[in-house]
Amino acid sequence: MSQHKAEYLQSYPTQISSILAGGYNHPLAREWQSERQLAKNMFIYPLFVTDSPDEETLIEALPNQKRWGINKLIPFVKTLVDKGLRSVILFGVPLAEGAKDEVGSAADDPNGPVITAIKALKENFPDLLIMCDVCLCEYTSHGHCGVLREDGSLIREESVRRLAAVAVNYAKAGAHAVAPSDMIDGRIREIKQGLIDNGLAHRTMLISYSAKFSGNLYGPFREAAGSCPSHGDRKAYQLPPGGRGLARRALARDIEEGADAIIIKPSTFYLDIVRDAAEICRDYPIATYQVSGEFAMLHAAAEKGIVDLKTIAFEAHQGSLRAGANLLISYFTPEFLDWLS
Ligand code: PBG
Ligand code: ZN
């Protein structure tokens, strides 16, 4: 090595700001590097509520998650609220014989699982923000998210009218937020108008699953909720995984139609879309949904010894925040309430 080069290498680090390590050597200094810190108030916990009051059944495909009857749900949620849980999102799972029909009547049955749960949760936990997933697939005989023609395609107008009726009925029952996950064009406008017409718009947050992709990651959920389509798939209404442009258009459209906040789902494989949302929906809360398949994959990887569950859970959720989200819909919520204590 020439003398000149040796001198250069020796002096190089001290002459310019190449040394980053000093900035994150201390554990607290590492925390200071995050634009946003994970906090309990960001977490929204998905709950599966059935119409059989004493039900408490582990869902095999979805580690540690259960289907809850109303009598078991309240004591369970109490343990979480005591640890700092601030918000839940409800999914109804009608199990009763004959509960499903062509138009998903059980979705907003006044005695059905969701409306019963809204009322009980509200009474028991006055500070909890109660969000309801709005969709028909858990309640329709065919398992699709809207109302179908004979040929199996969705009737857009009838579907969005039905979804708006369901959202309005959840809001009437006391839900603080409604989150339509059906992905049918125009449902945000229809729901917002329904909320306005019923004098509910001022107290009901409309959170749109704006960019929801039809990937391969919803399997465990469909098993949990019994919402697998009996024929066909959801590719005609959920976005194709490569469709960044479509997602950007859907984000802009849903804001235009009156959404108060938006959801990107799944999370980990779509962080570029979260970043797009941070720009397109700059003035709105942005949530990611770490969906059932992502959650189950992390558990499977941890069981195989490939990852450490807590470390990977932090990494995954930190990724959402870094990309631009500030709300996290996550099956890991109970763990984070412990981890962030
Ligand atoms: C209902 C709905 C689904 C999810 C949320 N709402 C399933 C689907 O679209 O098939 C998925 C959530 C998850 O996988 O955790 N439309
Ligand atoms: Zn659906």
Side-chain angles (χ1 to χ4, degrees), residues 240-311:
R244 180 181 176 200
L246 274 172
R248 291 176 60 94
R249 289 164 63 196
L251 288 162
R253 176 200 59 190
D254 288 0
I255 293 298
E256 177 65 27
E257 290 189 10
D260 297 303
I262 59 104
I263 301 171
I264 311 294
K265 144 188 193 193
S267 62
T268 310
F269 294 138
Y270 296 91
L271 294 183
D272 58 324
I273 310 296
V274 179
R275 176 54 67 185
D276 280 349
E279 164 218 317
I280 296 165
C281 314
R282 169 183 291 277
D283 300 322
Y284 295 78
I286 295 168
T288 54
Y289 193 152
Q290 187 191 64
V291 299
S292 58
E294 296 176 85
F295 176 74
M297 283 200 304
L298 296 186
H299 271 270
E303 263 166 43
K304 280 206 148 196
I306 299 169
V307 298
D308 171 69
L309 192 65
K310 178 177 174 181
T311 311

Side-chain angles (χ1 to χ4, degrees), residues 133-138 143-146 181-182 212 227 234 237-238:
D133 186 89
V134 176
C135 202
L136 301 183
C137 57
E138 298 99 321
H144 279 282
C145 301
S181 65
D182 56 281
K212 171 174 173 180
S227 65
R234 305 208 203 289
Y237 45 101
Q238 299 181 354

Side-chain angles (χ1 to χ4, degrees), residues 14-83:
T14 57
Q15 283 179 358
I16 54 172
S17 53
S18 298
I19 303 300
L20 306 182
Y24 58 94
N25 186 256
H26 191 280
L28 180 60
R30 289 198 281 282
E31 289 181 37
W32 288 347
Q33 301 301 329
S34 307
E35 230 176 289
R36 288 195 191 95
Q37 314 269 352
L38 286 167
K40 290 185 185 183
N41 68 5
M42 296 173 170
F43 283 85
I44 301 164
Y45 187 43
L47 287 170
F48 297 95
V49 189
T50 74
D51 51 5
S52 107
D54 292 313
E55 174 110 14
E56 179 179 345
T57 313
L58 261 173
I59 300 161
E60 219 165 293
L62 208 44
N64 307 332
Q65 311 302 306
K66 292 178 177 174
R67 278 190 218 99
W68 299 97
I70 194 72
N71 296 340
K72 299 287 169 68
L73 179 73
I74 301 301
F76 170 63
V77 173
K78 168 101 173 58
T79 63
L80 299 178
V81 168
D82 288 346
K83 291 183 196 177

